[in-house]
Amino acid sequence: MLLEGTLERITFQSDDDGYLVARLTPSGKAYLVTIVGKLIGVRPGETLSLEGEWQEHREHGRQFLVSGYHTLMPATIDGMRRYLGSGLIKGVGPSTAKKITETFGKYTLDVLDREPDRLVEVPGLGRRKVEVIKAAWRSQQQIKEVMLFLQDLGLPTGLAVRIYKQYGDAAMAVVRDTPYRLADEVYGIGFLTADKIAAGLGVAPDDPQRIGAGLRHTLGQATDDGHCYLPAGELTRRATDILDITEDLAAEGLQLQIADCRLQVDGEPGSQSTIYNLQSAIYLPPLAMAETGVAAAIIRQARAPSDIAGFYAQARWGDVFAHLAERREIRLSERQQDAVRMALTSKVSVLTGGPGTGKTMTLRAVTVLLAARGYRCLLASPTGRAAKRLTEATGAPARTIHRLLEYAPGASGLFRRNADWPLECDLLVIDEVSMLDVLLANHLLKALPPQAHLLLVGDADQLPSVGPGRVLRDLLDSGAVPSVHLHEIFRQAAGSGIAESARRINLGEPPEFSGHSDFFFFAAAEAERCAQMVVELVAERIPRRFGLDPRRDIQVLSPTHKGPAGVLQLNKLLQEALNPEAPGKIEKRFGMSLFRTGDRVIQQRNNYDLDVYNGDVGVVAAIDHGEEQLHVQFEDGRSVPYDFAILDELALAYALSVHKSQGGEYPAIVLPMLMQHYAMLQRNLLYTAVTRARQLAVIAGDRRAVARAVANHEVQDRYSGLAGRLRGGR
């Protein structure tokens, strides 16, 4: 059955697959009907020719279920006005659309298509605004073409905007001619999506391009799990499962990828070797460059001369520490004194220890001593939350590593600070170094001036970095640099149940939940009940008893993303409890996510263009549907605008995964732990979660899950060559 009419308004639309519910005026009629189905990129004001059938919905009544359609551009001036003013073109609202249609009448769309420079004839439109409208109109036509192509392949149409943003007017040509480029170059498009596009274009399963892309994808998946490389035999075995090809074909493909320098053997940059065996380490080139770069920089830095080390090698340390105690009220234990001596006499050193063991006081001593002699100290951490906490703890300004290195759009190597323009410091302190992956470590070390000392501070018992590598553990295992481990808990005398429980967990002993005023357990072994308990604790019990703000002071952490007590479901429940729908609160739905003004959100990847980074947390300050932007006020005070097209970079942050919480410290944490989380129940995960709490830690769930986590000290090892390179001096 055919139905033709004008689209009046869209009630709901999915950014993933284009499914919508909308109201349409049938041609020649004066009433509205409801249409439902997958209609890609349609806008109010368009005339649509629809194929489908009428159906009676139990709750919503009569609807037209669309099975196919094509767009007829608006034929009436009123239709054109509504079409242009519907948000189709960024910066063109209803008033500008009215001016354009009043100027060109029924020829409006022809002018936009064929003579867009004539837009200068519209009153109030300057040349700059005209250029913006021209570019937006052209991009919309290109995006719609890509959307329709993806729809034919049964793929998410929301990817079209990203593809166009990456390739511009060449987007469709790239999709048709070199689909596997999408997996390498477009965020949000993995190998499986590119492979589906390629299959739709007739690319054979044994095509060398497909096998090469599959091998790179397999290695990329391994780096997502923290590995820097995979042994060749394991790489080809994993790839055969993904590609559904023989190991012989995978091995041939690997040989070609090595010959083309798309993959590297044993990670030696510049090596022309194409010879490998099943145990050879196979790297993606950026990881090979980063790992060898970090090893070389550590060795080079450690050997370079230092004025600081020369001076303090002759120091009368008894007088130094007495002065700190008398004049600065900085009293140090023997181990802390060892750490201070190490930091000032060794060019590269590592300070480790759990919560409450005095790492911060040791840092204060180091920075105070150097500042007194006019030496310059810089402090940084991998995340904004960790940098803010470091500033509060030491009294010295600290920044994120990304901002320390000064990202520069379009600059070679991403950062302004590098070997050609190094940091201006005599000592660089990096806190929470367990979070530091090998890629960021390489950028950091490039920017370190040769004379400077480097002090790396962290807790080796926490979860490893989200990114590839295990920099802190490799440094300790290699023995290539001196280190001090602090173990005495200074907070224990003050009755800190958090610090004592963390110590017990680390020793493999179950935490004690009784007798503490800052550490509690609430039984709720069934998943749905546990989720309800978490919401009740956050929204009611903790604020009532401890006076904490549930939206600012309490952070829910979960071992997993999925499930009734996982991050995704808890965020929905907490959003409903803490920031419910209300008059004046503006909303934006993006895929499966719903954002509302006042929501707490987290950035999920590094976006160098916006100067926001994975783990940055803020609040949705405004949502502008006219400009198609959502504004986030971050903890550092900056307001950052997000185009609607990139909202998948944000997620609600009422609940975070334990991994995402690394580097943060919160007044209170609430942690659900259930046997359903079995695969994630590990000692370092529980330890990391508990040590995020500053004043209060609450676990809700099943005591068996806590016991399982404490007992499980088996952590999946990572393939990393850094320790071996450091031991070998290369």
Side-chain angles (χ1 to χ4, degrees):
M1 182 176 181
L2 293 176
L3 174 66
E4 188 174 294
T6 302
L7 188 66
E8 299 293 340
R9 65 177 180 271
I10 296 172
T11 306
F12 167 80
Q13 186 166 24
S14 166
D15 293 299
D16 290 332
D17 60 5
Y19 179 86
L20 61 71
V21 179
R23 299 284 277 170
L24 177 131
T25 301
S27 298
K29 307 296 182 183
Y31 55 82
L32 294 172
V33 298
T34 299
I35 62 171
V36 297
K38 293 184 179 180
L39 289 88
I40 308 302
V42 296
R43 294 279 180 169
E46 284 183 313
T47 301
L48 304 175
S49 178
L50 310 171
E51 298 176 19
E53 59 183 20
W54 290 101
Q55 64 174 12
E56 196 68 30
H57 192 278
R58 251 186 339 188
E59 297 180 20
H60 305 296
R62 196 166 185 248
Q63 299 176 336
F64 190 80
L65 180 61
V66 179
S67 58
Y69 76 100
H70 63 272
T71 302
L72 307 172
M73 282 298 180
T76 67
I77 294 174
D78 184 58
M80 293 179 197
R81 177 185 59 77
R82 286 187 292 116
Y83 177 59
L84 295 178
S86 66
L88 173 75
I89 303 173
K90 187 175 179 180
V92 176
S95 61
T96 302
K98 183 179 179 182
K99 290 179 183 178
I100 294 173
T101 52
E102 285 177 345
T103 301
F104 301 115
K106 65 181 181 180
Y107 301 108
T108 295
L109 300 183
D110 285 336
V111 169
L112 285 166
D113 280 337
R114 300 170 188 171
E115 302 176 278
D117 288 328
R118 288 189 60 195
L119 287 169
V120 294
E121 300 172 22
V122 178
L125 282 191
R127 170 58 64 181
R128 187 174 179 181
K129 186 69 173 283
V130 166
E131 292 302 318
V132 170
I133 294 173
K134 283 168 56 180
W137 178 260
R138 185 175 68 250
S139 71
Q140 282 298 325
Q141 310 314 303
Q142 293 280 343
I143 289 168
K144 184 173 283 190
E145 184 181 4
V146 178
M147 278 182 167
L148 292 170
F149 179 78
L150 295 176
Q151 182 195 30
D152 289 342
L153 297 175
L155 292 167
T157 57
L159 299 175
V161 175
R162 289 195 177 278
I163 294 172
Y164 182 81
K165 186 176 180 180
Q166 180 73 26
Y167 302 113
D169 292 345
M172 203 61 236
V174 171
V175 172
R176 286 198 178 108
D177 299 339
T178 54
Y180 290 108
R181 282 182 62 186
L182 303 176
D184 293 330
E185 299 170 0
V186 181
Y187 171 74
I189 297 183
F191 169 78
L192 298 180
T193 299
D195 200 36
K196 194 167 184 179
I197 294 173
L201 294 167
V203 174
D206 61 353
D207 187 289
Q209 288 189 47
R210 177 177 184 266
I211 294 173
L215 286 162
R216 296 194 304 277
H217 165 70
T218 303
L219 206 43
Q221 279 190 319
T223 64
D224 289 343
D225 292 334
H227 301 295
C228 288
Y229 70 86
L230 283 180
E234 185 167 347
L235 172 59
T236 54
R237 283 194 300 275
R238 291 189 187 190
T240 57
D241 292 337
I242 292 171
L243 294 166
D244 194 22
I245 58 173
T246 65
E247 284 201 33
D248 286 344
L249 278 174
E252 290 174 14
L254 177 56
Q255 193 74 61
L256 288 174
Q257 289 293 294
I258 294 169
D260 290 342
C261 299
R262 305 296 296 273
L263 299 176
Q264 287 183 202
V265 181
D266 292 327
E268 289 301 324
S271 170
Q272 300 301 310
S273 172
T274 60
I275 301 172
Y276 72 91
N277 58 47
L278 294 180
Q279 299 306 315
S280 296
I282 307 298
Y283 288 77
L284 290 167
L287 268 298
M289 186 177 299
E291 190 176 275
T292 54
V294 168
I298 291 288
I299 294 166
R300 183 173 60 249
Q301 200 73 25
R303 293 172 179 171
S306 157
D307 291 340
I308 296 174
F311 175 81
Y312 279 103
Q314 310 299 321
R316 291 183 293 183
W317 286 103
D319 293 342
V320 170
F321 294 128
H323 175 84
L324 285 173
E326 293 168 7
R327 301 291 181 88
R328 299 283 186 165
E329 295 188 355
I330 299 175
R331 296 174 176 83
L332 304 176
S333 69
E334 288 187 15
R335 293 292 288 172
Q336 287 175 307
Q337 292 178 14
D338 290 343
V340 171
R341 279 192 290 265
M342 172 189 71
L344 297 179
T345 58
S346 300
K347 287 293 302 299
V348 181
S349 57
V350 179
L351 172 62
T352 67
T357 56
K359 296 192 299 296
T360 300
M361 186 64 74
T362 306
L363 284 183
R364 281 187 59 196
V366 171
T367 56
V368 163
L369 288 173
L370 289 181
R373 298 200 58 80
Y375 290 113
R376 299 161 298 177
C377 299
L378 290 176
L379 284 74
S381 285
T383 69
R385 283 168 292 146
K388 182 179 179 181
R389 184 167 59 83
L390 184 59
T391 298
E392 294 169 349
T394 64
R399 286 173 279 178
T400 65
I401 295 173
H402 287 91
R403 293 193 175 94
L404 179 76
L405 297 180
E406 299 181 33
Y407 166 71
S412 173
L414 295 179
F415 299 106
R416 287 193 180 96
R417 294 292 186 171
N418 50 39
D420 296 326
W421 189 37
L423 297 166
E424 295 159 5
C425 66
D426 299 296
L427 169 74
L428 175 62
V429 176
I430 303 297
D431 195 19
E432 295 288 354
V433 76
S434 63
M435 300 176 64
L436 188 64
D437 64 55
V438 71
L439 293 166
L440 187 55
N442 187 42
H443 285 296
L444 179 69
L445 290 167
K446 284 179 183 177
L448 192 61
Q451 81 282 357
H453 285 225
L454 175 65
L455 176 59
L456 301 171
V457 183
D459 187 345
D461 296 313
Q462 288 188 22
L463 290 168
S465 61
V466 174
R470 48 174 203 174
V471 175
L472 177 57
R473 177 52 60 190
D474 280 346
L475 281 167
L476 294 172
D477 289 349
S478 71
V481 298
S483 65
V484 168
H485 177 72
L486 302 178
H487 49 76
E488 181 182 351
I489 299 176
F490 292 99
R491 280 189 246 165
Q492 187 172 359
S496 171
I498 295 170
E500 173 60 16
S501 297
R503 184 190 69 83
R504 291 178 63 87
I505 290 166
N506 216 10
L507 293 173
E509 301 172 4
E512 293 181 351
F513 295 106
S514 60
H516 298 299
S517 61
D518 61 352
F519 194 65
F520 300 93
F521 178 85
F522 289 85
E526 193 268 328
E528 283 76 10
R529 174 59 190 139
C530 180
Q532 293 170 2
M533 174 66 74
V534 168
V535 175
E536 184 181 329
L537 286 164
V538 172
E540 299 174 19
R541 294 196 187 189
I542 293 175
R544 185 168 61 240
R545 179 169 175 181
F546 295 94
L548 297 175
D549 185 324
R551 290 168 61 175
R552 187 185 67 241
D553 299 330
I554 307 171
Q555 182 63 61
V556 174
L557 306 177
S558 179
T560 62
H561 282 274
K562 297 180 180 179
V567 169
L568 298 177
Q569 181 61 19
L570 286 172
N571 266 318
K572 290 180 182 178
L573 296 174
L574 290 163
Q575 181 188 49
E576 185 179 334
L578 302 178
N579 191 31
E581 181 181 3
K585 288 185 180 178
I586 305 172
E587 298 180 349
K588 169 59 184 174
R589 185 173 291 279
F590 186 91
M592 300 302 291
S593 298
L594 174 66
F595 298 107
R596 187 176 289 140
T597 51
D599 275 336
R600 189 176 179 183
V601 293
I602 186 169
Q603 174 73 12
Q604 299 194 95
R605 63 177 288 254
N606 291 337
N607 186 320
Y608 298 100
D609 295 326
L610 294 181
D611 192 26
V612 289
Y613 304 99
N614 189 2
D616 285 353
V617 173
V619 174
V620 177
I623 298 173
D624 188 333
H625 285 279
E627 290 292 323
E628 296 192 346
Q629 286 186 333
L630 180 149
H631 295 257
V632 177
Q633 186 87 21
F634 283 100
E635 291 176 336
D636 61 5
R638 296 179 309 125
S639 180
V640 177
Y642 285 75
D643 290 342
F644 284 173
I646 62 168
L647 289 184
D648 58 345
E649 294 187 10
L650 292 174
L652 293 176
Y654 300 105
L656 300 176
S657 70
V658 177
H659 282 84
K660 279 287 187 185
S661 74
Q662 284 181 269
E665 190 175 75
Y666 313 95
I669 68 102
V670 178
L671 174 70
M673 292 207 78
L674 299 164
M675 293 306 291
Q676 289 187 1
H677 300 149
Y678 194 85
M680 298 299 295
L681 297 178
Q682 296 174 333
R683 187 183 302 173
N684 61 354
L685 182 137
L686 177 58
Y687 175 81
T688 300
V690 169
T691 55
R692 298 310 89 207
R694 189 164 62 242
Q695 299 170 225
L696 177 68
V698 180
I699 298 177
D702 192 331
R703 287 182 182 271
R704 294 175 302 168
V706 177
R708 161 67 187 172
V710 171
N712 182 15
H713 196 41
E714 295 180 8
V715 179
Q716 181 186 11
D717 201 7
R718 295 183 169 193
Y719 288 114
S720 168
L722 180 58
R725 295 180 194 282
L726 288 168
R727 281 192 292 265
R730 61 188 178 96

